[in-house]
Amino acid sequence: MTRRAPDNLAPALHWAANSLCAQTYPALFFPERGEDNTTAVSKQICRRCPVIEECLAEAMRQEGTASHSHRYGVWGGLSPAERADLAKARARWAEAA
Ligand code: SF4
């Protein structure tokens, strides 16, 4: 019997195979709410990650214009609050263009 993933399953992110977080301790990247000050180590790892640009682009794509409270974890070297600020800045730049 051949087993396969359901058709509606999101495809694996090809760049994720090269992520440093998957080779370290993934829980570092998802601190409990209110513990954003614990992200210093995960951000240091991100800065050395070969797929940081792809990771941040994917996070921004998935999260869209969500507020800080609807974002979770460190992605692309940025905390939820930093990604929310980036999304707002990009929206302002787009309006000004
Ligand atoms: S940049 Fe993204 S993929 Fe790389 S270590 Fe950080 S969270 Fe993981």
Side-chain angles (χ1 to χ4, degrees):
M1 177 176 166
T2 302
R3 302 184 78 164
R4 45 179 274 224
D7 291 340
N8 62 353
L9 191 66
L13 301 170
H14 64 282
W15 52 263
N18 296 319
S19 67
L20 287 185
C21 53
Q23 300 168 37
T24 57
Y25 184 54
L28 276 176
F29 295 80
F30 297 97
E32 294 295 321
R33 294 224 181 264
E35 294 183 346
D36 279 358
N37 60 342
T38 64
T39 59
V41 172
S42 52
K43 288 178 178 179
Q44 284 180 347
I45 294 170
C46 288
R47 281 195 284 275
R48 294 176 34 225
C49 181
V51 293
I52 188 170
E53 290 178 21
E54 293 88 342
C55 177
L56 181 57
E58 181 64 21
M60 299 305 288
R61 186 191 68 76
Q62 286 188 20
E63 295 170 337
T65 58
S67 68
H68 162 219
S69 61
H70 288 90
R71 298 171 188 261
Y72 185 51
V74 171
W75 284 67
L78 299 182
S79 69
E82 291 165 336
R83 293 195 307 279
D85 288 346
L86 177 58
K88 287 180 198 164
R90 285 180 174 177
R92 284 195 301 272
W93 296 332
E95 282 179 17

